[in-house]
């Protein structure tokens, strides 16, 4: 929300010496996030005056149209003679009043103006556009043309209010009241201890039977609807300069008088309004839910298919507006430039359900100034005042007549009251405020407060975010100053340090970084169509997701059950930016829904929750195991004078899993498998005990294509918590033997489908306790030598005894025992 300081001063009599920075500090102390203070016109220097175009000469022979003009600037140039100016704009004519900057002036951006020769003429100044003065676009896309009654020679800096300070406030979702000058003025008045001149305090006539007919069919979606009618508006009437400038300062573009007035009142009071061309509205105005498949063309020119939950404004033809979001094109107010402008308007000031408007805006991807306010909370009691303010401005500025009829449809409701102990804010903050301070602060925000030890608080209509006692406590605390809360550092018990899970997490990160991987954390959100791209079966448990009620992105409404989609996105982005040799990893939580869905209890804030309350909250949360995943593409070893290098492949992904398992102290078994995104025949199933904890290998070509990854990309994902549970990370001192090692090589021929892991396990068991290590160093396939469907696995066996030097016979016996057991279990035979 952009708040011009000059506009704010109209409602709060701030000291004349207060700057935007001073007001920023006060509002920040009161809990509002004022991001910046923009100094409009800080580097602007006159003379900048109003001139009248006397003559225009079209200059020929140039690539673009150029005009040589004489402009009357009165006595501003010191001579009273017409000012000669060269200009390329085409949107003004002889007799128009324009803004002229004279030599010696400086425009925003440090652009100094002097007389200079151009296009064969000498130009003594410039005729200015809004962009050149830092005003923004006024819709004309050209020179500023002022109203005919503007005085020649008048100071344009003052006329256009070019010097001002604008506070840019990041309004949180619960403070919809601060999306208006009125709301920010109220906060400023409280911060400075000054009275507020409330612009909503107007004399408003009561409803009567002569107003425009309105029928509300859904009082839950629309609990208040005010309609007023103004007739006889001048079609040629334009928004005055002061109104246009205020809209520009708050970030809105002037359009036409009727639309500008409704936007002005919305920014002033926070109540969105809509003006209908009365001649285009047919019959009674209604409010109802849309019929599924019904269509409307909104003001942005888009044809929209409506959902049954959308709230719409209708006449006898059907929808004429998307309630609280955007009006329809079939009742649009005509622009003042059109031949037949709008003369009669119906003003709508309504209050809609916040949730309904938020869902409609997201469903149609149509965020507007109106929807932003409705979904954050609008003061329902301000609707009548906003309609009256709009009527008054239209009558004043366009010469219209306010009809006596007033329509007001109101669903009965009682004000929200909260019972709160007077000392509750003290308990929450750990500060003794006292009853008087609590009552005074609540009254300052607009609450009615009664009672002594137990206060009965009636919440003001403009603060729908105040729902329970802790909200009231927060109001007292923020107005007394968060900076005044005492700081008490917690005293952690000595000697605990990191948990086993935290230590493992850190070690895994360090070991993968040491292996050449780069950590790439990603957001934990995904779209459900990702599971189709991962080639997961329809009944795969990973397809069961936890969906967010209020996702940051409608296209990614679910929490991840795998780390791979996020890493795929990071790999794709980096590859697309020229980094082709990539090895990325991530450790993070995945989210698995529980079989029994529970509603989480709201924990207290005035005391520490009990262990039972914390356990109940944990039971309502999804399971959140920690996973680790890697993706690789491009070269694993770079080429150079030392050799040709090597591309990353499935074996690197498997080795990453082994590295992680060693850090966890778990014995990882690698065997052939087949799962979702991995290539059949190049997928390793990772097992600890009898539990499959992950997979690794080369990705399926269809997955590579679906995610836009480089060819032959490999990946691995492991359940880190399962590894931790199965492993023993107790540090083991290495055993160093003084006796020599005996090495025996053995080549075994087995059927092609026999996994290497089964052969290795049989060799380990058969070799007995003398076996120190085993390594597969060769895989060979040749149908002529080995036979069809056969392969050769060559292993290097290391034997050593702790108390003696092994003889050749002992090593050979251990080898033969290993081969015998492998033959018995897997059908392996010695090669050759």
């Amino acid at each position: 929300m952009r708040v011009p300081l000059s506009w704010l001063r109209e409602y709060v009599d701030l000291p004349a010496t207060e700057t935007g920075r001073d007001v920023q500090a006060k509002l920040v102390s009161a809990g509002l996030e004022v991001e910046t203070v923009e100094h409009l016109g800080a580097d602007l220097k006159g003379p900048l005056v109003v001139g009248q175009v006397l003559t225009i000469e079209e200059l020929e022979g140039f690539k673009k149209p150029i005009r040589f003009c004489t402009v009357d600037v009165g006595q501003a140039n010191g001579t009273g003679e017409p000012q000669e100016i060269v200009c390329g704009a085409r949107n003004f004519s002889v007799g128009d009043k324009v803004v002229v900057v004279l030599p010696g002036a400086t425009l925003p951006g440090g652009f100094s103006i002097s007389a200079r020769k151009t296009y064969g003429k000498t130009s003594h100044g410039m005729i200015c556009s809004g962009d050149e003065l830092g005003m923004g676009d006024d819709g004309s896309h050209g020179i500023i043309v002022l109203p005919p009654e503007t005085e020649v020679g008048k100071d344009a800096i003052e006329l256009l209010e070019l010097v001002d300070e604008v506070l840019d406030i990041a309004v949180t979702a619960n403070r919809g009241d601060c999306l208006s000058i009125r709301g920010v003025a109220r906060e400023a008045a409280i911060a400075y201890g000054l009275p507020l001149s409330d612009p909503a305090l107007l004399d408003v006539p009561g409803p009567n039977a002569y107003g425009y007919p309105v029928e509300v069919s859904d009082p839950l979606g629309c609990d208040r609807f005010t309609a007023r009618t103004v007739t006889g508006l001048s079609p040629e009437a334009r928004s005055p300069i002061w109104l246009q400038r205020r809209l520009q300062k708050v970030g809105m573009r002037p359009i036409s008088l009727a639309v500008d007035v409704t936007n002005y009142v919305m920014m002033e009071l926070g109540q969105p309004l809509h003006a209908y061309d009365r001649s285009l509205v047919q019959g009674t105005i209604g409010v109802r839910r849309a019929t599924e498949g019904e269509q409307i063309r909104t003001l942005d020119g888009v044809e929209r298919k409506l959902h049954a939950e959308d709230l719409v404004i209708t006449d006898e033809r059907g929808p004429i507006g998307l309630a609280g979001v955007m009006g329809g094109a079939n009742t649009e107010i005509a622009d003042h430039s059109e031949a037949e402008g709008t003369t009669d308007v119906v003003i709508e000031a309504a209050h809609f359900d916040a949730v309904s408007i938020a869902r409609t805006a997201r469903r149609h991807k149509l965020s507007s100034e109106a929807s932003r306010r409705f979904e954050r909370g609008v003061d329902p009691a301000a609707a009548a005042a906003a309609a009256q303010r709009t009527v008054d401005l239209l009558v004043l500025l366009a010469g219209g007549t306010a009809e006596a009829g007033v329509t007001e449809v109101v669903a009965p409701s009682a004000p929200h009251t909260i019972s709160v102990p007077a000392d509750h804010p003290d308990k929450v903050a750990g500060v003794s405020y006292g009853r008087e301070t609590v009552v005074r602060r609540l009254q300052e925000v607009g609450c009615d407060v009664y009672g002594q030890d137990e206060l009965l608080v009636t919440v003001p209509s403009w603060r729908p975010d105040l729902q329970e006692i802790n909200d009231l406590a927060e109001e007292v605390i923020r107005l007394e100053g968060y900076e005044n809360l005492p700081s008490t550092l917690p005293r952690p018990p000595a000697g605990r340090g990191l948990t086993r899970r935290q230590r493992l997490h850190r070690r895994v990160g360090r070991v993968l970084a040491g292996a050449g991987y780069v950590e790439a954390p990603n957001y934990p959100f995904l779209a459900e169509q990702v599971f189709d791209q991962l080639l997961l079966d329809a009944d795969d448990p990973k397809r069961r997701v936890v969906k967010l009620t209020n996702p940051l992105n409608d296209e990614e409404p679910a929490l991840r059950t795998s780390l791979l989609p996020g890493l795929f996105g990071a790999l794709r982005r980096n590859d697309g930016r020229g980094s082709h040799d990539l090895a990325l990893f991530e450790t993070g939580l995945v989210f698995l829904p529980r079989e029994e869905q529970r509603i989480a209890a709201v924990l207290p804030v005035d005391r520490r929750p009990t262990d039972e309350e914390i356990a109940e909250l944990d039971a309502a949360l999804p399971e959140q195991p920690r996973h680790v995943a890697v993706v690789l593409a491009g070269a694993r070893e770079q080429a150079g004078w030392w050799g040709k290098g090597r591309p990353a492949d499935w074996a690197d992904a498997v080795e990453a899993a082994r590295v992680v398992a060693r850090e966890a102290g778990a014995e990882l078994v690698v065997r052939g498998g087949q799962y979702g995104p991995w290539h059949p025949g190049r997928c390793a199933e990772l097992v600890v005990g009898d539990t499959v904890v992950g997979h690794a290998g080369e990705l399926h070509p269809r997955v590579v294509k679906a995610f836009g990854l480089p060819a032959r990309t490999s990946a691995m994902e492991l359940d880190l918590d399962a590894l931790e549970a199965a492993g023993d990370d107790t540090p083991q001192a290495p055993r160093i033997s003084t006796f020599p090692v005996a090495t025996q090589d053995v080549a075994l021929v087995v059927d092609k489908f026999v996994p290497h892991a089964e052969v290795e396990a049989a060799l380990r068991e058969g070799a007995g306790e003398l076996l120190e290590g085993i390594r597969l160093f060769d895989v060979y396939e040749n149908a002529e030598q080995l036979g069809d469907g056969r392969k050769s696995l060559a292993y290097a066996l290391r034997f050593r005894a702790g108390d003696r030097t092994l003889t050749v016979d002992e090593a050979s016996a251990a080898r033969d025992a290993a081969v015998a057991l492998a033959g018995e279990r897997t059908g392996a035979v010695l090669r050759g």
Side-chain angles (χ1 to χ4, degrees):
M1 175 67 191
R2 292 170 55 84
V3 180
L5 191 59
S6 59
W7 198 350
L8 190 66
R9 288 182 183 275
E10 286 196 7
Y11 310 130
V12 184
D13 189 16
L14 299 173
T17 56
E18 288 294 283
T19 66
R21 294 291 183 190
D22 298 328
V23 177
Q24 177 189 29
K26 286 283 190 179
L27 293 179
V28 168
S29 179
L32 293 185
E33 186 181 348
V34 184
E35 294 187 322
T36 60
V37 178
E38 184 179 351
H39 297 269
L40 301 182
D43 51 356
L44 178 64
K45 176 185 173 183
L48 188 72
V49 299
V50 176
Q52 184 172 21
V53 180
L54 301 178
T55 64
I56 298 177
E57 177 187 351
E58 301 289 345
L59 302 182
E60 304 293 339
F62 299 103
K63 293 182 179 179
K64 62 179 181 179
I66 298 296
R67 312 167 97 186
F68 181 65
C69 311
T70 59
V71 185
D72 178 12
V73 294
Q75 297 299 317
N77 57 5
T79 64
E81 296 295 323
Q83 200 79 4
E84 296 179 338
I85 298 174
V86 174
C87 183
R90 316 286 299 173
N91 68 310
F92 64 96
S93 307
V94 172
D96 283 345
K97 303 289 180 66
V98 294
V99 178
V100 178
V101 56
L102 300 177
T106 303
L107 293 181
F111 183 56
S112 299
I113 303 300
S114 60
R116 65 190 184 96
K117 190 168 184 179
T118 179
Y119 297 103
K121 301 284 187 179
T122 301
S123 181
H124 299 272
M126 284 175 54
I127 301 175
C128 297
S129 68
D131 285 337
E132 290 165 339
L133 298 179
M135 296 169 54
D137 181 27
D138 62 355
S140 66
H141 304 289
I143 293 303
I144 301 171
V145 178
L146 300 171
E149 64 273 13
T150 309
E151 178 184 349
V152 172
K154 184 178 179 64
D155 183 0
I157 296 179
E158 177 183 351
L159 174 70
L160 299 177
E161 302 178 14
L162 296 178
V163 179
D164 202 349
E165 292 180 278
V166 179
L167 285 71
D168 194 352
I169 303 176
V171 179
T172 54
N174 65 316
R175 291 302 305 272
D177 60 304
C178 288
L179 286 173
S180 66
I181 305 297
R182 178 197 185 201
V184 176
R186 184 181 291 107
E187 292 295 316
I190 296 172
Y192 279 93
L194 297 171
L196 170 70
S197 298
D198 193 342
L201 294 179
L202 301 174
D203 291 330
V204 179
N208 53 51
Y210 310 109
Y212 198 92
V214 173
E215 181 180 349
V216 177
S217 303
D218 190 340
L220 294 178
C222 175
D223 58 7
R224 186 179 294 261
F225 194 106
T226 300
R228 300 289 298 276
T229 304
V230 181
T231 59
L233 300 177
S234 171
E236 294 81 21
R238 296 177 56 187
S239 301
I241 293 174
W242 64 266
L243 192 150
Q244 293 187 45
R245 287 296 296 132
R246 286 195 168 176
L247 289 178
Q248 289 173 331
K249 289 177 185 179
V250 298
M252 302 190 77
R253 182 173 66 86
I255 298 174
S256 63
L257 178 59
V259 175
D260 292 349
V261 167
T262 58
N263 286 336
Y264 178 86
V265 175
M266 176 180 67
M267 303 306 297
E268 181 181 54
L269 302 182
Q271 168 66 54
L273 302 108
H274 190 72
Y276 301 95
D277 187 327
R278 184 177 180 179
S279 65
L280 300 178
V281 179
Q282 298 180 13
T284 301
I285 291 178
V287 183
R288 62 168 172 81
R289 298 288 173 176
T291 303
E292 187 69 38
E294 208 168 13
Q295 292 190 341
I296 182 176
R297 180 181 292 275
T298 46
L299 289 174
D300 57 359
V302 177
E303 193 77 29
R304 301 183 184 277
K305 187 175 181 180
L306 300 178
H307 188 276
E309 292 183 4
D310 292 335
L311 200 64
V312 292
I313 311 298
T314 66
D315 63 7
E316 63 184 25
R317 296 167 298 177
I320 60 173
L322 205 52
V325 180
M326 185 175 286
N330 53 355
T331 56
E332 182 179 4
I333 296 291
D335 188 88
H336 63 77
S337 63
E338 297 182 21
E340 296 182 4
T342 300
T343 59
D344 301 339
V345 297
V346 178
I347 306 299
E348 166 210 312
H351 184 262
F352 302 109
D353 175 63
V355 174
S356 176
I357 300 306
R359 288 177 176 172
T360 295
R362 294 195 177 197
R363 188 180 297 118
H364 294 282
K365 296 180 174 59
L366 185 61
S367 179
S368 64
E369 292 289 346
S371 68
R372 286 183 61 222
R373 284 161 175 78
F374 278 123
E375 63 191 29
R376 286 165 173 79
V378 168
D379 181 5
Q388 182 63 47
R389 176 76 165 135
T390 304
V391 168
D392 292 343
L393 286 173
L394 288 175
V395 170
L396 175 67
L397 302 176
T401 301
E403 290 194 352
V406 177
T407 302
E408 191 164 357
V409 180
V410 181
S413 62
H416 182 52
T417 59
I418 304 171
S419 179
V420 54
D423 62 349
H424 181 70
D426 300 11
K427 294 179 179 179
V428 173
V431 176
S432 180
Y433 292 123
R435 179 189 177 279
E436 291 185 2
T437 299
V438 171
V439 172
R440 174 172 57 84
R441 289 303 191 184
L442 292 178
Q443 288 176 337
E444 284 177 346
V445 299
C447 297
D448 290 331
V449 186
Y450 302 94
Q452 293 298 319
D453 294 337
E454 190 74 19
L455 303 178
L456 186 64
V457 180
T458 302
V459 175
S461 58
W462 56 82
R463 290 300 302 274
D465 59 305
L466 302 182
Q467 292 293 320
E468 45 105 15
I469 59 175
N470 292 319
D471 296 330
L472 300 180
E474 183 181 0
E475 290 300 294
V476 175
I477 294 168
R478 76 173 181 89
L479 294 178
E480 284 295 304
Y482 293 120
E483 69 276 10
N484 296 323
L485 294 177
S487 297
T488 304
L489 294 177
R491 296 181 179 179
R496 288 191 175 182
L498 299 176
T499 66
R500 182 187 176 198
R501 188 186 195 208
Q502 290 169 330
R503 291 196 302 270
L504 176 60
H505 180 207
R506 293 192 178 189
R507 290 202 312 273
V508 167
R510 284 195 295 266
V511 73
L512 287 176
Y517 291 84
V518 177
E519 187 170 14
N522 296 285
Y523 288 116
F525 313 116
L526 53 75
E528 291 183 85
Q529 57 264 33
V530 162
F531 300 126
D532 294 329
Q533 296 174 324
L534 291 174
L535 306 181
L536 298 185
D537 294 337
D539 58 349
D540 193 293
K542 287 188 177 180
R543 285 184 176 270
R544 294 185 63 244
V545 295
V546 178
K547 289 189 177 181
L548 300 172
T549 303
N550 190 24
L552 295 178
N553 183 351
D554 289 339
E555 296 180 357
E556 296 179 329
L559 292 174
R560 66 188 178 191
T561 56
S562 169
L563 302 183
L564 291 181
L567 281 175
F568 290 167
L571 183 73
R572 181 180 62 251
R573 286 191 297 273
N574 283 276
D575 181 70
R577 294 168 185 172
S579 298
H580 304 302
D581 302 325
L582 295 162
L584 308 178
F585 84 94
E586 179 179 7
T587 58
L589 302 179
V590 298
F591 305 86
L592 310 176
R594 298 181 186 271
E595 293 297 331
E596 180 184 356
Q597 298 293 329
R598 300 184 183 181
I599 298 177
V602 178
L603 297 182
V605 296
D606 57 344
R607 61 173 174 82
R608 183 191 182 281
T610 65
D611 292 341
E612 291 76 14
E613 289 172 329
I614 295 175
E616 183 180 352
L617 177 63
D618 287 340
L621 298 176
E623 296 181 20
Q624 301 176 54
R626 186 178 295 277
H627 282 203
V628 57
V630 305
V631 292
L632 307 98
R636 186 66 176 138
E637 296 177 4
Q638 294 291 336
W641 58 265
W642 53 85
K644 296 181 179 180
R646 181 178 66 82
D649 62 15
W650 62 269
D652 295 299
V654 173
E655 181 58 24
R658 288 196 173 103
V659 166
V660 172
R662 284 196 292 269
E663 285 299 317
E667 184 177 347
L668 188 71
V669 175
V670 179
R671 65 192 187 196
Q674 184 172 343
Y675 181 70
W678 281 277
H679 194 303
R682 298 174 191 171
C683 173
E685 191 173 68
L686 309 174
V687 182
V688 172
D690 296 327
T691 305
V692 177
V693 296
H695 293 84
E698 183 180 318
L699 294 176
H700 196 290
R702 286 166 57 191
V703 174
V704 169
K705 181 179 180 181
F707 286 94
L709 305 178
R712 309 300 292 270
T713 297
S714 298
M716 178 277 292
E717 183 167 14
L718 271 174
D719 186 337
L720 199 53
D721 284 356
L723 281 180
E724 179 194 357
D728 180 7
D729 61 354
T730 304
Q732 300 289 334
R735 291 181 295 175
I736 302 175
S737 176
T738 60
F739 297 99
V741 66
T743 303
Q744 297 271 358
D745 292 346
V746 60
L748 301 177
V749 178
V750 296
D751 289 336
K752 206 169 183 179
F753 64 83
V754 175
H756 140 70
E758 292 184 13
V759 179
E760 181 180 312
L763 289 173
R764 283 183 182 277
E765 185 178 343
E769 61 182 12
L770 294 180
L771 182 68
E772 182 182 77
I774 182 171
R775 178 174 61 88
L776 175 70
F777 67 85
D778 184 51
V779 179
Y780 178 71
E781 295 181 13
N782 188 308
E784 293 183 3
Q785 296 184 19
L786 304 178
D788 291 335
R790 304 281 281 175
K791 65 182 178 182
S792 171
L793 303 176
Y795 294 90
L797 309 177
R798 290 168 56 90
F799 298 99
R800 194 193 314 253
D803 57 352
R804 68 190 187 281
T805 299
L806 292 177
T807 66
V808 174
D809 291 340
E810 287 178 309
S812 297
R815 180 202 63 186
D816 293 342
V819 171
L821 187 59
E824 178 184 335
R825 290 189 176 175
T826 66
V829 296
L830 281 171
R831 180 180 167 190

